[in-house]
Amino acid sequence: MHRERIRLPSLMSKIMSAADAASLIKDGMTVGMSGFTRAGEAKAVPQALAERAKTVPLKISLMTGASLGNDLDKQLTEAGVLSRRMPFQVDSTLRKAINDGTVMFIDQHLSDTVEQLRNRQIKAVDIAVIECVAITEEGHLVLSTSVGNSASFAILAQHVIIEINLAQPLELEGLHDIYIPTYRPTRLPIPVLKTDTRIGSQAVKIDPAKIVGIVISNQPDSPSSVLPADTDTQAIAGHLVEFFKNEVRLNRLTNQLMPLQAGVGTIANAVMTGLIDSPFHGMTMYSEVLQDSTFDLFEAGKLDFASGCSMTLSERKHAAVYDNLEQYRSRLLLRPQEISNHPEVVRRLGIIGINTALEFDLYGNVNSTHVGGTRMMNGIGGSGDFARNAHLAIFVTKSIAKSGAISSVVPMVSHVDHTEHDVDILVTEIGLADLRGLAPRERARVIIDNCVHPAYREALNDYFRRACAIGGHTPHVLRDALSWHLNLEETGHMLAI
């Protein structure tokens, strides 16, 4: 019945129920699961594991590529399964458990996790649970809609459970480019010279003897939750398009730009969609998540090729893409996230990185992760992998939040994920600040004049004047540097009323 999907006959005897497969996961294990931003996660086994834990309590350390779909983090958290989670998440239930200390969360650059595993710097993976569309005649794994960390989890784990998901089309086979870096200190350069360079294999090569269970599932990925562009995100996109046009006029870029990277989420997706009505063409992407905007740009004739480690689409886009994969086959690659995010490749290709900030300060330091400096939102993701090494490191956000109670531009960020040294361009709907070649005081003037909402500009100007009167290379009034955050905590508004 499943021989089209399981092509090594000896593995047919490994087919079992999700409950039986979940029983192979023991208390205290470190588990590596497939999945990157709601795409390609194993589904049936973690659901069965959460159900089992209701009667047989157990705790695991869970590693993934990034966030999981189908409410799996919520189910695992509510069942008390998670003791430790890394390197990224977006679930509100898990977020609460992280912030109250119930679950220990390790927030990592997404290119780092399997590097640390490979070098035995963190605890080894006991068992990997990987979603596939097929297993080849050699017993190798054909992954589904994401690669993420799945390849290395399967290679490094002692045992592997496979979910063959019949809801994922077999036409995905051939889109993957699985390349694993060699070991230090004799590692060779990663030979990605262009966005469309194929350097690896189409399947994950493992010893099939490691496969201890195969579960047949039939459950689609969760649709992405991106919202349509609004007036503010359209304005942000407009500022960036004008900036890129000027870079072309100055012969710093061509109308093909440089390979684009965009962080996941509504704002970054909307900014990329804004390029449809721009003069740029023949563009390429070298990114993590390929979102709706990637395929909108394909359809508009603006984008020639896209390389990522995951495809995460809305309901609107899902059928249009997956029913027509053949037309995209020559223009897509899915890679391991340590390759899609690798600093060596990012620097070599000259990536234009566009990522989202929670807040930034008047000198250009960016907080991507912690609300109020202490409460984890989602995680740093891949933004740091790209920001430090990009040709242009761009961060975007709306200038205010919570109906104006919060300014996204503050005197001092409450948590630093990207220092001023790694940030080139800041954009809000108000305008764009080009920080290249500017000293701290000059950066502050450009940021205040171009990015701050009018409701907060006078207060930030006042802070900057008082700080400059005290002096210093990066002037601050330390007594007041976090006063806006304190006001928000105490009164619900950043400005004392």
Side-chain angles (χ1 to χ4, degrees), residues 77 87 97 136 140 167-168 195 208 220 232 236 239 323 338 359 385 406 413 429 434 443 490:
T77 302
T136 70
H140 300 162
Q168 302 283 30
T195 55
D232 288 342
I236 292 170
H239 296 317
D323 290 349
E338 66 172 326
E359 65 179 5
D385 295 325
I406 295 173
V413 287
E429 80 282 5
D434 185 348
R443 288 199 295 268
E490 293 168 2

Short mmCIF file of all heavy atoms in Angstrom, two decimals, residues 77 87 97 136 140 167-168 195 208 220 232 236 239 323 338 359 385 406 413 429 434 443 490:
data_model
loop_
_atom_site.label_atom_id
_atom_site.label_comp_id
_atom_site.label_asym_id
_atom_site.label_seq_id
_atom_site.Cartn_x
_atom_site.Cartn_y
_atom_site.Cartn_z
N THR A 77 3.32 21.36 26.05
CA THR A 77 3.44 22.15 27.29
C THR A 77 2.33 21.81 28.26
O THR A 77 2.56 21.58 29.46
CB THR A 77 3.42 23.66 26.95
OG1 THR A 77 4.48 23.97 26.05
CG2 THR A 77 3.58 24.49 28.22
N PRO A 87 15.51 25.83 19.53
CA PRO A 87 16.08 27.16 19.74
C PRO A 87 15.10 28.29 19.47
O PRO A 87 15.49 29.46 19.49
CB PRO A 87 17.19 27.17 18.68
CG PRO A 87 16.58 26.42 17.52
CD PRO A 87 15.65 25.38 18.14
N ALA A 97 4.93 29.46 29.88
CA ALA A 97 5.71 28.51 30.68
C ALA A 97 7.19 28.90 30.72
O ALA A 97 7.86 28.71 31.74
CB ALA A 97 5.55 27.10 30.13
N THR A 136 13.95 6.39 0.41
CA THR A 136 14.45 5.88 -0.86
C THR A 136 14.81 4.39 -0.77
O THR A 136 14.80 3.79 0.31
CB THR A 136 15.70 6.65 -1.31
OG1 THR A 136 16.79 6.31 -0.44
CG2 THR A 136 15.47 8.15 -1.29
N HIS A 140 17.36 6.23 2.54
CA HIS A 140 17.62 7.63 2.80
C HIS A 140 16.31 8.41 2.88
O HIS A 140 15.29 7.98 2.32
CB HIS A 140 18.53 8.21 1.72
CG HIS A 140 19.86 7.53 1.64
ND1 HIS A 140 20.70 7.61 0.55
CD2 HIS A 140 20.51 6.72 2.53
CE1 HIS A 140 21.79 6.89 0.76
NE2 HIS A 140 21.70 6.36 1.97
N ALA A 167 -0.17 13.67 3.38
CA ALA A 167 -0.71 14.98 3.01
C ALA A 167 0.33 15.85 2.30
O ALA A 167 -0.02 16.86 1.69
CB ALA A 167 -1.22 15.69 4.25
N GLN A 168 1.60 15.48 2.42
CA GLN A 168 2.67 16.23 1.75
C GLN A 168 2.91 15.61 0.38
O GLN A 168 3.12 14.41 0.26
CB GLN A 168 3.96 16.19 2.59
CG GLN A 168 3.82 16.73 4.00
CD GLN A 168 3.80 18.25 4.07
OE1 GLN A 168 3.35 18.91 3.14
NE2 GLN A 168 4.27 18.81 5.17
N THR A 195 22.94 31.86 -5.35
CA THR A 195 21.75 31.38 -4.65
C THR A 195 21.26 30.04 -5.19
O THR A 195 20.66 29.25 -4.46
CB THR A 195 20.59 32.40 -4.76
OG1 THR A 195 20.35 32.69 -6.13
CG2 THR A 195 20.94 33.68 -4.02
N PRO A 208 19.85 2.89 7.44
CA PRO A 208 18.43 2.56 7.72
C PRO A 208 18.25 1.71 8.97
O PRO A 208 17.14 1.64 9.50
CB PRO A 208 17.98 1.83 6.46
CG PRO A 208 19.24 1.41 5.76
CD PRO A 208 20.28 2.42 6.11
N PRO A 220 -1.96 18.05 7.18
CA PRO A 220 -1.21 19.13 6.52
C PRO A 220 -0.50 20.04 7.52
O PRO A 220 -0.79 20.03 8.72
CB PRO A 220 -2.31 19.90 5.78
CG PRO A 220 -3.56 19.64 6.57
CD PRO A 220 -3.41 18.23 7.09
N ASP A 232 0.64 51.12 7.26
CA ASP A 232 1.97 51.28 7.85
C ASP A 232 3.00 50.39 7.17
O ASP A 232 4.11 50.84 6.86
CB ASP A 232 1.94 50.97 9.35
CG ASP A 232 1.23 52.05 10.15
OD1 ASP A 232 1.08 53.17 9.64
OD2 ASP A 232 0.83 51.76 11.29
N ILE A 236 6.39 51.38 5.10
CA ILE A 236 7.73 50.84 5.35
C ILE A 236 8.32 50.32 4.04
O ILE A 236 9.49 50.60 3.70
CB ILE A 236 7.67 49.73 6.41
CG1 ILE A 236 7.32 50.32 7.78
CG2 ILE A 236 9.00 48.98 6.48
CD1 ILE A 236 7.00 49.27 8.84
N HIS A 239 9.40 53.21 1.80
CA HIS A 239 10.68 53.83 2.20
C HIS A 239 11.86 52.97 1.73
O HIS A 239 12.88 53.50 1.27
CB HIS A 239 10.74 54.00 3.72
CG HIS A 239 9.70 54.94 4.27
ND1 HIS A 239 9.40 56.14 3.68
CD2 HIS A 239 8.91 54.84 5.38
CE1 HIS A 239 8.46 56.75 4.40
NE2 HIS A 239 8.15 55.98 5.42
N ASP A 323 -0.14 22.74 -5.64
CA ASP A 323 -0.76 22.10 -6.81
C ASP A 323 0.03 22.37 -8.08
O ASP A 323 -0.28 21.80 -9.14
CB ASP A 323 -2.20 22.61 -6.99
CG ASP A 323 -3.14 22.10 -5.91
OD1 ASP A 323 -2.73 21.19 -5.15
OD2 ASP A 323 -4.27 22.62 -5.79
N GLU A 338 21.56 25.47 8.86
CA GLU A 338 22.93 25.93 9.12
C GLU A 338 23.60 26.37 7.82
O GLU A 338 24.61 27.08 7.87
CB GLU A 338 23.76 24.85 9.82
CG GLU A 338 24.02 23.61 9.00
CD GLU A 338 25.00 22.67 9.69
OE1 GLU A 338 25.92 23.16 10.36
OE2 GLU A 338 24.82 21.45 9.54
N GLU A 359 11.90 46.61 19.30
CA GLU A 359 12.21 48.00 19.60
C GLU A 359 13.66 48.26 19.23
O GLU A 359 14.47 47.33 19.12
CB GLU A 359 11.97 48.32 21.08
CG GLU A 359 12.88 47.57 22.03
CD GLU A 359 12.67 47.90 23.51
OE1 GLU A 359 11.74 48.67 23.83
OE2 GLU A 359 13.45 47.40 24.34
N ASP A 385 22.24 35.78 12.55
CA ASP A 385 23.07 35.13 11.54
C ASP A 385 23.27 36.04 10.34
O ASP A 385 24.36 36.12 9.77
CB ASP A 385 22.41 33.83 11.06
CG ASP A 385 22.29 32.78 12.14
OD1 ASP A 385 23.20 32.69 12.98
OD2 ASP A 385 21.29 32.04 12.14
N ILE A 406 3.00 52.40 23.43
CA ILE A 406 4.39 51.96 23.33
C ILE A 406 5.05 52.61 22.14
O ILE A 406 4.49 52.60 21.03
CB ILE A 406 4.46 50.42 23.20
CG1 ILE A 406 3.93 49.74 24.45
CG2 ILE A 406 5.88 49.96 22.91
CD1 ILE A 406 3.80 48.23 24.33
N VAL A 413 17.36 50.39 24.63
CA VAL A 413 16.59 49.15 24.55
C VAL A 413 16.71 48.40 25.88
O VAL A 413 17.74 48.43 26.55
CB VAL A 413 17.05 48.26 23.39
CG1 VAL A 413 16.61 48.84 22.05
CG2 VAL A 413 18.53 47.99 23.41
N GLU A 429 7.20 53.20 9.62
CA GLU A 429 6.31 53.85 8.64
C GLU A 429 6.59 55.34 8.53
O GLU A 429 6.24 55.99 7.54
CB GLU A 429 4.84 53.58 9.00
CG GLU A 429 4.26 54.45 10.09
CD GLU A 429 4.66 54.03 11.51
OE1 GLU A 429 5.48 53.10 11.65
OE2 GLU A 429 4.15 54.62 12.47
N ASP A 434 19.48 55.79 7.68
CA ASP A 434 20.69 55.13 7.16
C ASP A 434 21.82 55.44 8.13
O ASP A 434 22.27 56.59 8.24
CB ASP A 434 21.00 55.67 5.76
CG ASP A 434 22.17 54.97 5.10
OD1 ASP A 434 22.90 54.23 5.79
OD2 ASP A 434 22.38 55.18 3.89
N ARG A 443 24.04 59.10 14.59
CA ARG A 443 22.99 58.10 14.42
C ARG A 443 21.73 58.52 15.17
O ARG A 443 20.61 58.37 14.66
CB ARG A 443 23.47 56.73 14.93
CG ARG A 443 24.50 56.07 14.03
CD ARG A 443 24.60 54.58 14.31
NE ARG A 443 25.11 54.27 15.64
CZ ARG A 443 26.38 54.08 15.95
NH1 ARG A 443 27.31 54.17 15.01
NH2 ARG A 443 26.74 53.79 17.18
N GLU A 490 4.28 50.62 35.04
CA GLU A 490 3.53 51.17 36.18
C GLU A 490 2.21 51.81 35.77
O GLU A 490 1.24 51.79 36.54
CB GLU A 490 4.40 52.20 36.91
CG GLU A 490 5.62 51.56 37.60
CD GLU A 490 6.63 52.59 38.07
OE1 GLU A 490 6.37 53.82 37.90
OE2 GLU A 490 7.66 52.19 38.64
#
